[in-house]
């Protein structure tokens, strides 16, 4: 069928910040879980800031997880970020109709949306591919079984096999110094070396977010 197959190309992506183990590229679908509020805030503000520096960025979800004033401290203009409140999988898919091709889209609290199904995930995978979107689905939770990461991703995201990246984020602090602990359960083929556990110093990021 003419046009069914497309040439394979190298696709550039973005990292939330220098030292983060995975790059999110256009045409990708990623799932991230943060197990504390600070880890979720670090993800949201750094990812959206980097996305705004390189193009359009969108936030979609039932709960806003970013602060315009904090985004300004990262050196970006929050008025360039477009946000939409959605409460169902159907509305999420409809919202993507208004997203510009090649943009970054952060979806917050994805598993809490009503009507999420395998068909929803397949449609999101299709939208990411066809629109060259950097589509990141995030969930912040305090209830997470660290001993069964595959089971937890299946519980929250139903079909983890459809995702390019599966990542868990947590923060810890000791004597006023902060680290972001990142477990990469799944990564794109060219980033396979990033699989495993990473501990990244994030004092400057935490200071920017908290002002302390």
């Amino acid at each position: 069928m003419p046009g069914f197959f497309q040439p394979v190309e190298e696709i550039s992506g973005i990292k939330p910040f220098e030292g983060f183990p995975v790059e999110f590229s256009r045409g990708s679908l990623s799932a991230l879980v943060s197990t504390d509020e600070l880890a979720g805030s670090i993800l949201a503000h750094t990812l959206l800031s980097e996305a705004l520096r390189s193009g359009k960025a969108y936030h979609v979800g039932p709960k806003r997880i970013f602060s315009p004033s904090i985004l300004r401290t990262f050196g970006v203009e929050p008025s360039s970020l477009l946000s939409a409140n959605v409460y169902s999988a159907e509305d999420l898919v409809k919202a993507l109709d208004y997203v510009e091709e090649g943009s970054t889209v952060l979806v917050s609290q994805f598993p809490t949306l009503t009507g999420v199904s395998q068909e929803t995930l397949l449609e999101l995978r299709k939208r990411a591919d066809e629109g060259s979107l950097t589509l990141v689905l995030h969930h912040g939770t305090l209830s997470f079984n660290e001993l069964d990461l595959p089971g937890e991703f299946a519980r929250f995201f139903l079909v983890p096999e459809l995702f390019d990246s599966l990542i868990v984020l947590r923060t810890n602090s000791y004597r006023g110094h902060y680290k972001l602990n990142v477990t990469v359960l799944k990564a794109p083929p060219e980033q396979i070396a990033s699989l495993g556990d990473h501990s990244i110093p994030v004092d400057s990021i935490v200071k920017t977010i908290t002002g302390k």
Side-chain angles (χ1 to χ4, degrees), residues 97 105 150 200:
D97 290 337
V105 183
I200 310 165

Side-chain angles (χ1 to χ4, degrees), residues 38-88:
L38 182 56
S41 185
I42 290 172
L43 168 71
H45 290 100
T46 58
L47 178 65
L48 291 174
S49 294
E50 288 305 307
L52 287 170
R53 289 188 178 95
S54 57
K56 285 268 189 157
Y58 299 79
H59 169 266
V60 185
K63 177 186 175 184
R64 195 180 77 182
I65 60 173
F66 66 90
S67 162
S69 61
I70 293 176
L71 286 173
R72 286 192 183 93
T73 65
F74 279 93
V76 297
E77 178 48 55
S79 62
S80 301
L81 172 65
L82 301 177
S83 184
N85 292 330
V86 300
Y87 307 97
S88 69

